[in-house]
Amino acid sequence: APEMEYESVLCVKPDVNVYRIPPRTSNRGYRASDWKLDHPDWTGRLRVTSKGKTAYIKLEDKVSGELFAQAPIDQYPGIAVETVTDSSRYFVIRIQDGTGRSAFIGIGFTDRGDAFDFNVSLQDHFKWVKQETEISKESQEADTRPKLDLGFKEGQTIKLNIGNMTTKKGGAAKPRVSGSGGLSLLPPPPGGKITVPPIPPPSSTAIANHVTPPPVLKSSNMSSADILLDLDAPASASTAPASATTDLWGDFSTASSAVPNQAPQQSNWVQF
């Protein structure tokens, strides 16, 4: 009830023209060209208000605000407000007084934008009325329906089965697949140790054939070739006297003869 008593303003236009229109002679609709558009019968201000689900078109004086006429509207489009067939700036409304008498008059706007705002304000209001009616109807139907009892009965239980959540007790975790498309490596087994292969001992033949190079004598008379030959000389040459170092090839022959189980060489090449 308090919402029905509250009146809200939907649209206000300061300039509107009112015309006396001839009675309709056919069902084809009203035409604004049949009116005296250059000589309006009244000029004033238009206000569109709403009170509950009913809208009101009020024609008022520009200066004093005195009410000239009003047209209550129960639905739109309907008989209370009609558009003319030859223009979008003119409408036919049904005005009523307090005694219940009614009459049809024509109204028109100079600006086409004012006519558009007037039309949209009425459409929005009755769209809201339609939504409110549907909501109230659904709520009434919901109240009449039997309510569902979704609570658990005494002793009733439910079981949830979530995938990939159940694992065996003590089992190893599965490797996770990398999201970038690469390969993921398995972790090493628990308690595992990496064994290093043993190094084989050196053979006796390699030890017997190993030759320790003699120390290099720092002499200015020795060339680079002599130094290289001294590096390849056997260990026994280091114990020879200094006079024997002059015959380098003889030292190599002596070293080769000292190795057991080897055949004598037929050439001057030294075998290591």
Side-chain angles (χ1 to χ4, degrees):
E3 293 180 359
M4 296 294 293
E5 296 176 357
Y6 179 75
E7 184 178 14
S8 61
V9 179
L10 305 179
C11 179
V12 177
K13 295 301 175 183
D15 294 320
V16 63
N17 298 323
V18 177
Y19 303 92
R20 291 182 181 178
I21 60 176
R24 181 188 301 182
T25 57
S26 63
N27 294 329
R28 65 177 184 177
Y30 293 96
R31 294 174 57 88
S33 58
D34 298 335
W35 308 344
K36 298 178 181 180
L37 300 179
D38 296 335
H39 303 282
D41 297 299
W42 185 85
T43 302
R45 179 181 66 187
L46 180 140
R47 282 198 313 141
V48 180
T49 62
S50 65
K51 196 172 183 181
K53 296 181 179 181
T54 305
Y56 295 90
I57 299 175
K58 296 185 177 183
L59 304 175
E60 301 173 343
D61 187 82
K62 293 183 180 180
V63 180
S64 61
E66 182 181 359
L67 181 63
F68 173 74
Q70 71 174 2
I73 305 170
D74 297 331
Q75 61 179 359
Y76 181 78
I79 192 174
V81 179
E82 298 182 40
T83 59
V84 297
T85 59
D86 57 348
S87 178
S88 62
R89 296 186 293 114
Y90 298 92
F91 302 87
V92 176
I93 62 175
R94 184 184 61 184
I95 59 175
Q96 293 181 354
D97 58 3
T99 60
R101 294 182 302 174
S102 62
F104 291 92
I105 62 174
I107 60 174
F109 300 94
T110 305
D111 188 1
R112 195 175 301 275
D114 293 341
F116 177 79
D117 295 341
F118 168 75
N119 191 17
V120 169
S121 63
L122 292 176
Q123 290 179 355
D124 291 343
H125 172 73
F126 286 99
K127 185 184 296 184
W128 170 81
V129 171
K130 183 178 180 180
Q131 293 177 354
E132 289 293 323
T133 304
E134 292 177 355
I135 292 173
S136 61
K137 184 178 180 180
E138 291 178 358
S139 61
Q140 291 177 0
E141 291 179 355
D143 294 338
T144 57
R145 295 173 185 172
K147 296 183 180 180
L148 297 177
D149 186 10
L150 301 178
F152 287 99
K153 304 298 186 296
E154 184 177 358
Q156 183 180 4
T157 59
I158 61 174
K159 181 180 180 181
L160 299 178
N161 186 9
I162 302 176
N164 299 330
M165 292 298 292
T166 58
T167 57
K168 295 182 179 180
K169 186 176 182 181
K174 296 182 180 179
R176 299 178 63 184
V177 180
S178 58
S180 59
L183 297 177
S184 60
L185 300 178
L186 294 175
K193 296 182 179 179
I194 301 175
T195 58
V196 181
I199 300 174
S203 61
S204 59
T205 306
I207 296 175
N209 293 334
H210 180 69
V211 179
T212 304
V216 180
L217 297 179
K218 297 181 180 180
S219 174
S220 61
N221 296 327
M222 295 178 65
S223 63
S224 60
D226 296 335
I227 295 173
L228 294 175
L229 290 175
D230 290 339
L231 291 175
D232 296 334
S236 60
S238 62
T239 59
S243 61
T245 59
T246 59
D247 190 3
L248 297 176
W249 295 109
D251 292 339
F252 282 108
S253 299
T254 304
S256 62
S257 62
V259 180
N261 299 328
Q262 290 185 357
Q265 299 294 328
Q266 299 297 330
S267 63
N268 293 330
W269 292 100
V270 180
Q271 182 176 0
F272 294 97

